[in-house]
């Protein structure tokens, strides 16, 4: 569904949904399904522009995890989602898609994708949901304000072209700040702020991290497989993950790093904090085992030079950087390397530090950290506690989950609950 010819047939609706991403589409579909006269307003000329980019176009639509894991995936704010995840769970989403000819496939790690690996199929299912229940959709129309009766109760929305659309309920599903070319330019925060809502600090979530280490450029493009990645804040471990890491021209990236990036971003917000990555390049080996292994190699290969050990243990570019960092001349014969030097080599292999300066800009982040304060939204309905008839769902809320399909499920679950409660409140 796209283009401008599908403008609302009237300027009067019962429910208006702002934003045609996963949260807004689900909200509009559910409200219309329950019989509410529903209009969705999207400022792009197409629906679900960001949805089509998800999972590299394959759309990691949800996860097979249980309710507790889903809640835990959203950190301290996760408990806000109990109701939404209960009302519209991952199981319900899979059934919803299946009923619309989108079977899914579950990967061994729990990630769920449409079986044809096409985000487009998910969008088509949502589009069909709206059409089936006669929700009106208008494109290329930007909502710039919420109309209220003395700031207390919703009356409709104001459009950038000066037009006004009247409605008893308004659901704001305008997304966050990441990937602004998709339409997520933070409008939802401005709309909520004008209604008196608090917006918590907006930061990049699930993003790569920048480093000022001079060797980063030498390592650009290098993937490290199955390393232990720790985030250290002022020298203390704040979080850790095992997985692959990728060096880039600016710093480090990779799926597990993205998961850790929120903790790093938060720590970097505090002036004076020192944030480092500690890589265990030999995971699975305790420090004493590693030291013993090095000693064994050096005594069995005493005539070889140190760089031969490094080449066997590490990728070439990292072996060079490592050699410089540990301060042991790579042309030294293994037999001549002293006990303290061996200790230094072992400790650096288990704790290779990279200084982190900042997260990548929010425009490049997968999700926005921060958003509309959850204290001012009722988790049972998604309705504002400040303005009657105003609902929020999706990324615009102060919710960001780890990678694995959790963020889309959050958008679908909160969207479903908001659409349902908005429609039921009309009765
Ligand atoms: C590259 C990338 C890959 C991702 N992959 C995954 C993945 O595989 N799995 C996963 O779970 N999550 C993934 N995510 C995160 C996921 O895309 C978001 O969590 C999700 O799209 C949020 O949905 P939403 O409906 O709240 O917001 P959005 O998808 O951002 O939709 C908001 C919509 O509102 C519209 N809008 C904004 N302002 C206005 C206005 N004033 N008037 C009218 N319309 C407006 C926008 O144009 C947009 O269409 C990915 C994100 C990115 C950037």
């Amino acid at each position: 569904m796209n283009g401008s010819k599908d403008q609302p047939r009237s300027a009067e609706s019962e429910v208006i949904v702002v934003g045609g991403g996963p949260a807004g589409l689900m909200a509009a579909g559910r409200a219309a399904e329950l019989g509410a006269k529903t209009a969705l307003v999207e400022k792009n000329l197409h629906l679900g522009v960001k949805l089509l980019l998800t999972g590299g176009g394959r759309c990691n639509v949800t996860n097979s995890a249980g309710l507790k894991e889903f809640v835990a995936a959203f950190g301290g704010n996760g408990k806000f989602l109990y109701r939404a995840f209960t009302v519209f769970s991952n199981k319900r989403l899979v059934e919803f898609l299946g009923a619309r000819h989108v079977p899914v496939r579950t990967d061994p790690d729990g990630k769920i994708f449409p079986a044809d690996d096409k985000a487009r199929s998910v969008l088509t299912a949502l589009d069909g949901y709206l059409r089936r229940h006669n929700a009106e959709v208008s494109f290329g129309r930007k909502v710039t304000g919420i109309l209220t009766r003395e700031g207390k109760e919703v009356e409709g929305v104001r459009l950038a072209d000066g037009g006004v659309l009247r409605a008893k309920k308004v659901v704001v599903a305008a997304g966050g700040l990441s990937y602004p070319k998709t339409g997520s330019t933070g409008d939802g925060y401005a709309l909520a702020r004008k209604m008196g809502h608090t917006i918590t600090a907006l930061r990049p979530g699930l993003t790569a991290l920048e480093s000022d280490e001079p060797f980063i450029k030498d390592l650009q493009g290098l993937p490290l497989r199955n390393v232990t990645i720790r985030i250290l804040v002022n020298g203390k471990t704040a979080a850790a993950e095992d997985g692959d890491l990728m060096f880039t021209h600016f710093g480090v990236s990779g799926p597990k790093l993205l998961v850790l990036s929120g903790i790093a971003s938060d720590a970097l917000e505090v002036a004076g904090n020192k944030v480092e990555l500690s890589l265990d390049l030999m995971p699975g080996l305790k420090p004493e085992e590693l030291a013993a292994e090095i000693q064994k190699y050096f005594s069995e290969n005493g005539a070889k030079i140190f760089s031969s050990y490094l080449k066997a243990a590490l990728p070439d570019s990292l072996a060079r950087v490592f050699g410089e960092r540990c301060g042991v001349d790579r042309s030294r014969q293994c037999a001549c390397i002293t006990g303290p030097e061996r200790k230094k080599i072992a400790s650096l292999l288990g704790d290779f530090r990279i200084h982190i300066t900042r997260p990548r800009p929010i425009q490049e982040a997968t999700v926005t950290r921060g958003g509309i304060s959850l204290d001012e939204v009722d988790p049972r309905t998604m309705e504002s506690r400040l303005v009657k008839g105003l609902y929020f769902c999706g990324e615009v809320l102060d919710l960001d989950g780890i990678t694995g399909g959790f963020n889309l499920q959050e958008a679908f679950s909160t969207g479903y609950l908001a659409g349902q409660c908005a429609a039921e409140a009309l009765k």
Side-chain angles (χ1 to χ4, degrees):
M1 193 191 271
N2 60 47
S4 54
K5 35 183 201 277
D6 206 8
Q7 301 297 352
R9 293 181 287 276
S10 70
E12 192 94 30
S13 310
E14 288 176 313
V15 177
I16 286 177
V17 177
V18 183
L25 287 165
M26 190 55 92
R30 182 59 180 155
E33 184 178 22
L34 292 178
K37 191 171 182 305
T38 305
L40 184 147
V41 186
E42 167 56 55
K43 69 177 175 182
N44 287 332
L45 295 178
H46 308 271
L47 293 174
V49 175
K50 188 180 275 183
L51 178 63
L52 291 177
L53 296 181
T54 57
R58 295 189 311 134
C59 185
N60 177 194
V61 72
T62 185
N63 196 287
S64 63
L67 177 61
K68 271 193 181 160
E69 284 168 85
F70 260 95
V71 167
F74 288 81
N77 285 349
K79 54 186 184 307
F80 178 89
L81 288 165
Y82 261 114
R83 173 103 180 121
F85 284 152
T86 305
V87 169
F88 194 75
S89 64
N90 49 354
K91 196 165 164 272
R92 292 276 314 266
L93 177 62
V94 168
E95 285 164 5
F96 172 93
L97 292 171
R100 286 160 184 81
H101 315 292
V102 185
V104 298
R105 164 179 56 75
T106 307
D107 279 2
D109 59 3
K111 290 180 184 169
I112 298 181
F113 296 86
D116 64 1
D117 278 332
K118 289 197 172 91
R120 170 74 61 191
S121 303
V122 176
L123 181 57
T124 303
L126 289 160
D127 188 1
Y129 188 39
L130 262 65
R131 286 178 182 273
R132 166 88 180 73
H133 298 293
N134 297 317
E136 296 178 357
V137 179
S138 61
F139 298 95
R141 299 180 102 181
K142 179 177 164 175
V143 171
T144 53
I146 313 271
L147 304 172
T148 63
R149 204 168 297 121
E150 292 164 5
K152 292 198 177 80
E153 194 169 350
V154 154
E155 285 191 312
V157 297
R158 188 178 305 106
L159 302 169
D161 62 13
V164 159
L165 299 175
R166 301 267 165 205
K168 295 188 180 81
K169 311 286 171 195
V170 171
V171 180
V172 175
L177 267 177
S178 74
Y179 278 61
K181 279 189 186 152
T182 63
S184 321
T185 50
D187 297 6
Y189 307 128
L191 293 172
R193 205 178 272 120
K194 278 192 232 165
M195 292 293 102
H197 276 274
T198 310
I199 312 299
T200 62
L202 302 170
R203 295 96 74 208
L206 301 179
T207 187
L209 298 173
E210 294 186 16
S211 170
D212 56 0
E213 300 281 6
F215 58 75
I216 286 293
K217 289 214 161 49
D218 301 328
L219 300 182
Q220 179 179 343
L222 173 72
L224 289 182
R225 305 274 174 230
N226 289 320
V227 288
T228 298
I229 311 162
R230 292 191 189 85
I231 294 281
L232 306 186
V233 179
N234 301 326
K236 287 203 180 122
T237 302
E241 289 280 345
D242 289 333
D244 300 346
L245 184 92
M246 172 70 91
F247 287 94
T248 66
H249 64 286
F250 55 76
V252 279
S253 188
K256 293 294 177 185
L257 187 93
L258 298 194
V259 172
L260 294 170
S261 66
I263 289 160
S265 299
D266 288 354
L268 286 161
E269 288 279 307
V270 181
N273 267 353
K274 183 176 182 189
V275 178
E276 294 166 293
L277 225 59
S278 160
L279 303 183
D280 183 350
L281 301 169
M282 301 285 165
L285 283 182
K286 292 187 186 122
E288 53 284 8
E289 291 169 341
L290 185 55
E293 200 173 78
I294 293 170
Q295 186 166 8
K296 184 165 176 277
Y297 180 94
F298 284 4
S299 56
E300 285 171 3
N301 300 276
K304 287 192 179 169
I305 55 171
F306 177 40
S307 67
S308 70
Y309 170 78
L310 288 177
K311 272 194 172 171
L314 299 171
D316 279 356
S317 51
L318 184 58
R320 273 195 303 278
V321 169
F322 187 94
E324 277 161 32
R325 203 173 234 210
C326 76
V328 179
D329 189 338
R330 279 179 294 154
S331 61
R332 290 259 301 280
Q333 277 197 312
C334 290
C336 303
I337 295 176
T338 64
E341 284 171 332
R342 281 200 308 270
K343 243 182 157 178
K344 200 169 171 193
I345 294 163
S347 105
L348 198 57
L349 280 170
D351 180 13
F352 186 85
R353 302 254 177 130
I354 300 171
H355 182 242
I356 299 298
T357 47
R358 64 182 75 83
R360 288 298 278 172
I362 197 160
Q363 291 82 354
E364 290 178 29
T366 313
V367 289
T368 310
R369 242 167 126 71
I372 297 170
S373 171
L374 303 182
D375 294 342
E376 297 159 358
V377 181
D378 186 342
R380 294 165 303 174
T381 58
M382 299 293 137
E383 189 176 14
S384 162
R385 292 191 195 274
L386 310 184
V387 181
K388 201 162 173 258
L390 179 61
Y391 296 76
F392 300 106
C393 55
E395 197 175 325
V396 74
L397 289 162
D398 181 8
L399 291 163
D400 60 289
I402 59 173
T403 52
F406 296 97
N407 288 294
L408 279 177
Q409 180 70 51
E410 180 266 319
F412 290 128
S413 297
T414 55
Y416 187 93
L417 185 58
Q420 175 164 298
C421 293
E424 283 174 349
L426 293 164
K427 290 169 191 161

